[in-house]
Amino acid sequence: MARIVMKFGGTSMAGIERIRSVAARVKREVDAGNQVAVVVSAMAGETDRLVGFCREASALYDPAEYDVVVSAGEQITSGLLAIALQAAGVPARSWLGWQLPIATSDAHARARIGEIDTVALDASLNAGEVAVIPGFQGVTDTGRVTTLGRGGSDTSAVAVAAAMKAERCDIYTDVDGVYTTDPRIVPRARKLARVTYEEMLELASVGAKVLQTRSVGLAMKEQVRVQVLSSFTGEDAPMADALPGTMIVGEEEITDVERQLITGIAHDKNEAKITLVAVPDRPGAVASIFAPLADAGINVDMIVQNVAHSVGSTDVTFTVPMADLPRSLDVLNGADIGFEKLVHDTRVAKISVVGVGMRSHAGVAATMFTTLGERGINIQAITTSEIKVSVLIEEDYTELAVRVLHTAYGLDAEVAG
C-alpha cells in the first residue's frame, strides 16, 4: 500500500462534471489499494473573481481579511470533491487548512508553511478515507486564515506529501508533462520522462509555467518525487494517470546524466529592462541602485555594468519583473543615485538554456551566442548559473530564438515515418 498525494488545478476543477472526472481518477488510486490525499485549487477564474471583490470593497483592503475571502474558492472545491467521492462510493472528507492544521507564518497573502500536523490526517487515511485538502491556505498560530500567494496550491501539495511521507506527489494540470520547450512554438519539442529538481527549478524560474517555483524548491529540499500529468484526454483515451508524464526527481535517479547536455529551452516575456545612464563611477554607486530596490522587495535579475564611457561615469543595465516596473521607476527616481537619465524597455524577452550536463561539457554558451548571432539576434544582457545560461533579446525575436536554439542543441524530436 502506497501513500499518494494527487493535486488538481483550477481547470481540472472547473465545474461539476470535471469534479466528477477527478473523483473517478481518485477512485482508481483507491481501488488500487493506495492511501490518497487530494489537494485542490479553486475553480478556474474563481480566485480572480474573489480578488476583484476585495479591490471593489476597498483599494486599501486588510490583507488578513483578503485571505479570508480568497481562500473560499478552495474551500468550495474541497467540499464538492468530497461529496462527489462519497457519491462514487469512496469514503472521503474535507480538511480545511485550520483543521489539520497547516501552520504558516503570519505574512498574509504570501505566507510560508511552517509545519503540518499529520495526526488527524494519518487517522483519516488509516481509516480508509480520502482526505481532500484545499490548497493555497493555512493558519497562523493566532488562528487567522492565511494564503500562500498565487499558485500556492502546488506548494501545498508538495508540503502535504512531505508531511505524510508520500511515495510521490502527482500534479494534474492542463499539460501532460514537461517538454524540451513550449510545443506551441516548436511542434517537435519532446516530452521528458525525468527531470532533476535543479533543472525544473531553473526552468520554472526562467519562464516554464508547468510548476510553481516555490513548489519545486520545497520538493528538492524535502526530496519529494513529483509527477506532472494531464487531467485532459480524449473520451476514448486511457485515464491520464495511465499515461506517461514527467517525473521530477533527484539527480541520482537519472543514470544517464552525463549524456544530458541541455534539458530544455525556456522563454519569458515578463521582463523589463532598465538602464541608468552616466552613473557616478565610484565605490558604493552600485549599492545605491540595488539597495533601495531590495528594500522595496523588488527582485533584480540580469545586471550589466558598462565600461566607463566618460571620465567618472558608467551605464548600469538590469532587468526586473514587468509587474514591478512602475514601482522600480518610482524607487529609482526617489533614490540618491546621481544618474543623468533613466531609460526603460518592455519589448524584451529572456531566453534560457538549462541542463545539468553543462557541469561536464564546455561550449554551451558559445553555441548559444553563435546560433543567435548567425540569425542576427542581438544579445543585450547575459546571466549564468552552474546549469543555466540566459540572454536578454528583443521581444520580436523570441520564437525564432527558441526554435533555432532547440535545433542547435539537438532537442528536436525525430519525425515518425
Side-chain angles (χ1 to χ4, degrees), residues 75-104:
Q75 178 174 327
I76 291 167
T77 50
S78 62
L80 288 173
L81 179 56
I83 291 170
L85 284 166
Q86 292 166 4
V90 179
R93 69 152 289 179
S94 62
W95 292 91
L96 301 186
W98 60 268
Q99 291 176 313
L100 284 174
I102 298 174
T104 73

Side-chain angles (χ1 to χ4, degrees), residues 13 40-43 46-47 49-50 67-80 134-137:
M13 303 298 292
V40 295
S41 296
M43 292 185 185
E46 181 65 9
T47 302
R49 188 176 75 94
L50 295 173
D67 279 352
V68 173
V69 175
V70 300
S71 62
E74 282 76 12
Q75 178 174 327
I76 291 167
T77 50
S78 62
L80 288 173
F136 179 58
Q137 66 172 244

Side-chain angles (χ1 to χ4, degrees), residues 30-343:
V30 173
D31 290 345
N34 296 322
Q35 292 184 342
V36 181
V38 186
V39 175
V40 295
S41 296
M43 292 185 185
E46 181 65 9
T47 302
D48 287 336
R49 188 176 75 94
L50 295 173
V51 170
F53 286 152
C54 291
R55 290 174 176 163
E56 284 182 37
S58 172
L60 299 174
Y61 52 74
D62 178 356
E65 300 303 338
Y66 165 94
D67 279 352
V68 173
V69 175
V70 300
S71 62
E74 282 76 12
Q75 178 174 327
I76 291 167
T77 50
S78 62
L80 288 173
L81 179 56
I83 291 170
L85 284 166
Q86 292 166 4
V90 179
R93 69 152 289 179
S94 62
W95 292 91
L96 301 186
W98 60 268
Q99 291 176 313
L100 284 174
I102 298 174
T104 73
S105 66
D106 61 0
H108 289 282
R110 50 188 175 86
R112 291 192 169 271
I113 295 173
E115 62 178 354
I116 299 177
D117 189 330
T118 61
V119 173
L121 179 59
D122 286 339
S124 176
L125 294 172
N126 290 332
E129 289 182 335
V130 171
V132 185
I133 303 166
F136 179 58
Q137 66 172 244
V139 64
T140 69
D141 57 8
T142 59
R144 294 305 305 263
V145 172
T146 57
T147 63
L148 309 182
R150 299 304 296 268
S153 292
D154 283 356
T155 303
S156 297
V158 173
V160 168
M164 60 185 268
K165 297 178 172 54
E167 179 177 300
R168 68 178 191 272
C169 177
D170 290 344
I171 295 185
Y172 288 79
T173 181
D174 51 4
V175 297
D176 63 350
V178 179
Y179 281 75
T180 49
T181 196
D182 188 339
R184 293 169 297 183
I185 295 177
V186 182
R188 295 177 68 179
R190 292 183 287 110
K191 184 166 65 175
L192 299 162
R194 292 178 179 237
V195 176
T196 69
Y197 295 121
E198 288 181 276
E199 288 170 328
M200 194 66 239
L201 191 59
E202 291 282 18
L203 287 168
S205 70
V206 295
K209 307 300 183 185
V210 178
L211 292 175
Q212 191 218 30
T213 306
R214 272 175 65 187
S215 68
V216 181
L218 182 60
M220 182 166 66
K221 176 177 176 288
E222 300 294 338
Q223 293 294 292
V224 175
R225 300 169 81 245
V226 176
Q227 184 172 207
V228 179
L229 298 160
S230 174
S231 298
F232 303 100
T233 57
E235 289 184 6
D236 298 328
M239 294 290 287
D241 51 2
L243 300 175
T246 298
M247 190 73 77
I248 318 299
V249 296
E251 195 170 317
E252 66 281 356
E253 288 198 44
I254 301 180
T255 56
D256 59 346
V257 160
E258 283 293 328
R259 293 193 293 275
Q260 292 185 343
L261 178 57
I262 295 299
T263 296
I265 314 290
H267 70 282
D268 188 359
K269 295 182 179 180
N270 294 311
E271 295 272 318
K273 182 178 73 169
I274 297 174
T275 299
L276 301 181
V277 179
V279 174
D281 190 13
R282 62 169 185 262
V286 173
S288 71
I289 299 170
F290 298 112
L293 293 171
D295 291 342
I298 298 168
N299 291 322
V300 174
D301 186 8
M302 300 175 160
I303 301 174
V304 177
Q305 182 171 357
N306 297 335
V307 175
H309 58 74
S310 63
V311 177
S313 69
T314 185
D315 296 344
V316 178
T317 298
F318 55 93
T319 61
V320 298
M322 186 84 76
D324 288 335
L325 178 60
R327 204 152 49 98
S328 300
L329 299 179
D330 184 58
V331 168
L332 293 168
N333 283 314
D336 183 17
I337 299 170
F339 56 84
E340 288 185 5
K341 184 169 63 172
L342 187 158
V343 180

Side-chain angles (χ1 to χ4, degrees), residues 346-417:
T346 59
R347 299 281 302 169
V348 294
K350 180 168 63 176
I351 309 296
S352 305
V353 297
V354 176
V356 293
M358 290 187 195
R359 292 187 180 131
S360 54
H361 291 80
V364 172
T367 297
M368 185 181 202
F369 304 154
T370 300
T371 302
L372 295 178
E374 288 173 348
R375 292 303 184 107
I377 302 173
N378 186 46
I379 295 172
Q380 303 178 22
I382 303 167
T383 188
T384 66
S385 75
E386 190 179 20
I387 64 168
K388 177 195 71 181
V389 180
S390 296
V391 297
L392 194 71
I393 65 171
E394 186 178 334
E395 184 183 42
D396 290 345
Y397 291 102
T398 302
E399 294 190 2
L400 174 61
V402 170
R403 286 197 298 269
V404 297
L405 289 172
H406 198 268
T407 299
Y409 289 110
L411 297 177
D412 291 348
E414 296 285 338
V415 177

